[in-house]
Amino acid sequence: MDTQVVPRISREEEVYRLRTPASRRFFAEAREYLPGGDSRSTLFYRPYPAVMDRGEGCWLYDIDGNRLLDFTGNHSSLVHGYGHPAIIEAVQHQLSKGTCFPGSTEPQLRLAKLLCQRIPSVERIRFTSSGTEASMNAIRAARAFTGRARIATIEGGYHGLSADATADVVVLPFNEIDAAAGILQAEGEQLAAVLVEPVLGSAGMIPAEREYLEMLRETTRRLGIILIFDEVVSFRVAAGGAQEYFGVSPELTCLGKLIGGGFPLGAFGGRADIMALFDPTHGRPPLPHPGSHNANPIGMVAGAVTLELLTPQEIDLLNTRGGAIRRDLAAAFAEAGIAAQITGLGSLFAIHLAGRPVRSYRDTLDSDTDLRHQIFLGLFNEGVQIDPRGVGNVSTAIGPDEVSRLGAAVRSVLSRLI
Ligand code: PMP
C-alpha cells in the first residue's frame, strides 16, 4: 500500500502560481539574502507572497502586473489609500526643505496639536518611529510612574514585538468581565498597567464590549493601575479614537499606522504628569527618550494632512462602508452555507470561519485556517487583496462600487470552494 503523502496543490494555489511567476522568482532570489526573503514576518504566506510594485488610490499592483482592489492599506496605515495627492504634495514640499534635522520642527508641533485636540485624554504626546516603540514607551512610563513592574495584557493582544518591555506579564481574558476583574483584584498593587486594544486587531478585529472597558477603567482607577489603550489600529473608528466611541478614557494612549500618513510613525501620550517623566528641561529626565528619527518631519507632514482630511464626516462614511461590508460578507457566507462570523467595528472587518460567535481570541482557535487561506488566495485570483488572516479595512478611496466588488469576489470564490 502506498502511504506516501503527496502535497496537494489546491486549484486556487495553482491559479495563484500561474499569476505570480515574477514574485516566485523574486522570493527564490530574496531568500539568498534575507531570511524568509523579507523583513516583516507577518507578510509571509504560502506558497510565497506577491511582491508589490505600486499603489494608486484603492488599487495595488504587484510585479507581475496583477491589479488588486486593496482592503489592507498596509495593515491599516493608509486611511486615504495609496498616493493621495494632498499628502504627496505636502511630502514633496517637505522633501525639498529636508528629510531630517538635528532639532525640532514646525511639522512636529502641528501634528502634536492635531492629536491632542482630537483625543482629550492625550494632554502631552511624544513621537516614535513605530507603534512597537510607542507601546514600549507607554509601558516604561507606567512602570516608572507607579514604581511597579508587572503589566497586564490581553489574551491574543498584539502591541509589536516588545519582549523586554513585556517581561513580567499577567494575561487577562478579553471580554470576560468577572474573570478579568478577579485577576486584577488578586494582582492588585503589583500591577503598573493594563494594556488593552479597544478592538483586538491581530486576533481578528474583535471589538471590546463597552462594559468590559468600563470594568477595566473602574478597577484600574481603584487599584492605582495605569490604563493604557493601544489605539494603533482602533484610532480610526471615531475622530477621537475608540476611547471616544466607547466613552472610556485611559491615562495613556499608543498610536501608529494611519497617523503617519504612510510613513513609519508611532506616538504615545496621555496625562501630563505621567508624560512629564520624559521632560528633559529640568535636567536628565527619569525616562530619556532619544531616537534619531523620532518625530521625523516627513511623517509629521504626511500625518498632519492625513488627519486634516480625516474629518468626522469622512469617518462616518468609512464606518458606513465598513458596516455594509460586514453585512454583505455575513450574507455571502450564509448563502454559501459556510459557517462564518464577521467581526469588526467602524471601517475594520474580519472573517472568522468559526461556528460560534467570536468575542475573544479563544473563540478564534478552532477556525478553519486552511479554508481561510483558500479564500485569501481565491480573492487574490479575483483581483482583491485582504490580509491573509482574513482581516481588512476600508480607506476613503473605497466607494460603493468597490464594496459591491468585494461582495461579488467573495461569492465567486465561495462558489468555487464549496
Ligand atoms: N499595536 C497594535 C494594535 C498593532 O496592530 C501593531 C502593528 N500591527 C503595533 C502596535 C505595532 O506597530 P508597528 O508595526 O508600527 O511597530
Side-chain angles (χ1 to χ4, degrees), residues 1 27 41 65 140 196 213 284 315 337 345 356-357 375 410:
M1 198 172 75
F27 262 90
S41 37
R140 287 175 77 205
V196 58
L213 292 181
R284 186 183 155 82
I315 293 174
L345 185 69
R356 287 177 292 114
I375 293 171
V410 168

Side-chain angles (χ1 to χ4, degrees), residues 329 332-333 336 338 371 375 409-418:
L329 289 175
F333 280 90
I338 296 176
L371 180 58
I375 293 171
V410 168
R411 284 176 175 83
S412 131
V413 171
L414 296 184
S415 73
R416 289 202 294 274
L417 290 173
I418 52 175

Side-chain angles (χ1 to χ4, degrees), residues 93-112:
H93 177 67
Q94 183 59 41
L95 280 174
S96 71
K97 296 174 73 176
T99 60
C100 53
F101 302 99
S104 192
T105 61
E106 287 172 333
Q108 173 171 216
L109 179 55
R110 178 175 166 207
L111 184 57

Side-chain angles (χ1 to χ4, degrees), residues 203-204 206 338-343 350-373 389-390:
I206 309 170
I338 296 176
Q341 310 294 324
I342 311 301
T343 60
I351 301 164
H352 298 273
L353 298 170
R356 287 177 292 114
V358 169
R359 297 173 55 240
S360 71
Y361 169 69
R362 263 177 219 211
D363 296 332
T364 68
L365 292 178
D366 54 1
S367 298
D368 186 340
T369 50
D370 182 51
L371 180 58
R372 181 179 74 187
H373 189 56
R389 291 166 296 185

Side-chain angles (χ1 to χ4, degrees), residues 75 130-133 135 158-160 197 202 230 232-233 257 265:
H75 291 185
S130 66
T132 301
E133 291 164 82
S135 58
Y158 179 77
H159 313 280
E197 295 158 83
S202 293
D230 181 340
V232 167
V233 170
K257 301 207 198 251
L265 183 58

